[in-house]
Amino acid sequence: MNRFFISTAIAFAALAATAPAREPDWALSLPGWQYEFPRDHFSHPDFKTEWWYFTGNLTAADGRELGFQLTFFRQGVRRGEEADTRFAVDDIKLAHFAVTDITGRKFRFAQKVSRGSFGEAGFSDGDRIAWIDDWALHLTGPGRFRLEARDADFALVLDLTAEKEPVFHGEDGVSRKAEGEGRASHYYSFTRLAAEGTVTLDGRETAVQGWSWFDQEWATNQLTENQTGWDWLSLQFEDNTELMLFQIRLKDGGRDPFSHGTWIDADGNAVPIKDGDFELVPGRVWRSKDTGGDYPVEWKLRIPKLDLELEVTAAMDEQELVLQPIAYWEGSVRGRGMRDGQAVRGRGYLEMTGYAGGLVGLQAPDTR
């Protein structure tokens, strides 16, 4: 997923107190990476930034419609250095958790940030891929995962099973984000995970089932000085096809030519979508009362090479995560339109950044 460095921004203050005097020589995402599983489900500490991003749409036993997001971030601080104290950690651990009660029209979110000095947070420990306190991501078998997260008034426990093999985005799994060597990420997705478990809202636990999407990326780069934010979209259609698409917005109002995506057919075959292959046009805007950010919550999408035209609409407008020092919109959406002359419908998730002020810690300095 093209979430770039939300983790950098959230960890900004923590890194200031932890960072070494010299910036480490981090590895770059370059052609030639040979993906291997289950190895690549776990952390890649030679790269500065990494994330495990789960989103999904669920139906509760009582008929309620729900959306969820659970994300673990690793933000590297040191690489390959000996430490004489447990407080000199190699990375900062972060996580975001959100549940959208679409039926009840309520959005809940929470975040955690930890140094993990005493093992309360970390990566790659047995079947635990990532954890902070009682928020955890487990690998339970080939293409099988377990998610757990609990906050004061909401919780989630899900078992996920892949219905398709992982998809590799970009060219051979290298997703370019800008001009220049290494301005890219290694990026793969499980685009259709059957989800089953429980969601707890205000002390009431209910069984749920539905579909989830899992993105993992690792990289060492940041937005260039002329990039202002991005719009990322995933959709799971009722005909067993999926779509991932992102566009990177520029300061002059244009779109970066490295914007791209992937179409996945019913058999799991991936079709690359390049910048010139799609139009993504914003429509109705929702203004956040918390940040003043103006977020497009309706979009028109056109991909001529797939004979696809869609209208994408937020399941509810208010799905903004108001965090410090950054806020972004991430929420459940619905897609409806035509493909190859046939009606198509789907559910998915949309992420929008850069609409509610500057991207602290994500932006390369303007050297002009």
Side-chain angles (χ1 to χ4, degrees), residues 282-296:
R284 183 174 65 86
V285 170
W286 170 75
R287 169 161 287 188
S288 167
K289 66 180 186 302
D290 294 313
T291 65
D294 289 325
Y295 294 98

Side-chain angles (χ1 to χ4, degrees), residues 277-280 300-304 308-310:
D277 293 334
F278 73 95
E279 300 172 9
L280 186 59
K300 291 187 181 298
L301 171 62
R302 182 171 176 265
I303 307 178
L308 175 65
E309 293 191 14
L310 288 177

Side-chain angles (χ1 to χ4, degrees), residues 253-269:
R255 185 171 78 187
D256 195 291
F258 287 98
S259 303
H260 62 270
T262 307
W263 169 264
I264 303 94
D265 72 14
D267 295 322
N269 301 305

Side-chain angles (χ1 to χ4, degrees), residues 28 73-74 82 177 204 295 302 328:
L28 299 177
F73 298 96
R74 179 187 60 79
E82 293 294 329
K177 305 300 196 294
R204 180 186 175 192
Y295 294 98
R302 182 171 176 265
Y328 66 102

Side-chain angles (χ1 to χ4, degrees), residues 100-278:
T100 304
D101 182 355
I102 299 166
T103 303
R105 315 307 291 176
K106 186 173 181 179
F107 181 64
R108 299 167 172 87
F109 66 91
Q111 69 171 336
K112 287 180 179 283
V113 180
S114 176
R115 297 165 67 89
S117 300
F118 295 93
E120 72 279 11
F123 307 99
S124 303
D125 176 34
D127 69 349
R128 286 194 300 180
I129 295 174
W131 73 95
I132 298 183
D133 301 325
D134 57 355
W135 299 11
L137 163 61
H138 294 262
L139 179 67
T140 58
R144 299 177 64 90
F145 305 90
R146 184 175 177 85
L147 301 177
E148 300 172 313
R150 297 169 182 82
D151 199 63
D153 66 343
F154 67 111
L156 174 144
V157 179
L158 285 181
D159 289 304
L160 308 175
T161 303
E163 297 285 308
K164 295 183 178 181
E165 294 297 311
V167 170
F168 306 99
H169 301 293
E171 296 184 13
D172 297 322
V174 177
S175 175
R176 293 284 301 276
K177 305 300 196 294
E179 187 68 44
E181 185 180 48
R183 290 196 175 274
S185 66
H186 295 300
Y187 181 9
Y188 73 88
S189 302
F190 282 95
T191 62
R192 191 169 291 263
L193 291 156
E196 186 172 3
T198 61
V199 170
T200 302
L201 300 176
D202 299 320
R204 180 186 175 192
E205 181 182 288
T206 183
V208 296
Q209 59 182 5
W211 297 103
S212 178
W213 181 293
F214 168 35
D215 279 344
Q216 185 174 355
E217 290 190 72
W218 57 98
T220 302
N221 67 309
Q222 61 182 341
L223 292 176
T224 62
E225 62 185 32
N226 67 327
Q227 296 173 327
T228 61
W230 61 89
D231 309 301
W232 175 94
L233 174 68
S234 70
L235 286 169
Q236 296 166 317
F237 295 98
E238 293 177 351
D239 63 359
N240 200 37
T241 62
E242 299 89 36
L243 174 68
M244 183 283 293
L245 201 68
F246 69 83
Q247 63 179 10
I248 305 169
R249 302 188 310 278
L250 301 176
K251 287 183 177 179
D252 63 6
R255 185 171 78 187
D256 195 291
F258 287 98
S259 303
H260 62 270
T262 307
W263 169 264
I264 303 94
D265 72 14
D267 295 322
N269 301 305
V271 176
I273 308 297
K274 297 184 179 181
D275 175 61
D277 293 334
F278 73 95

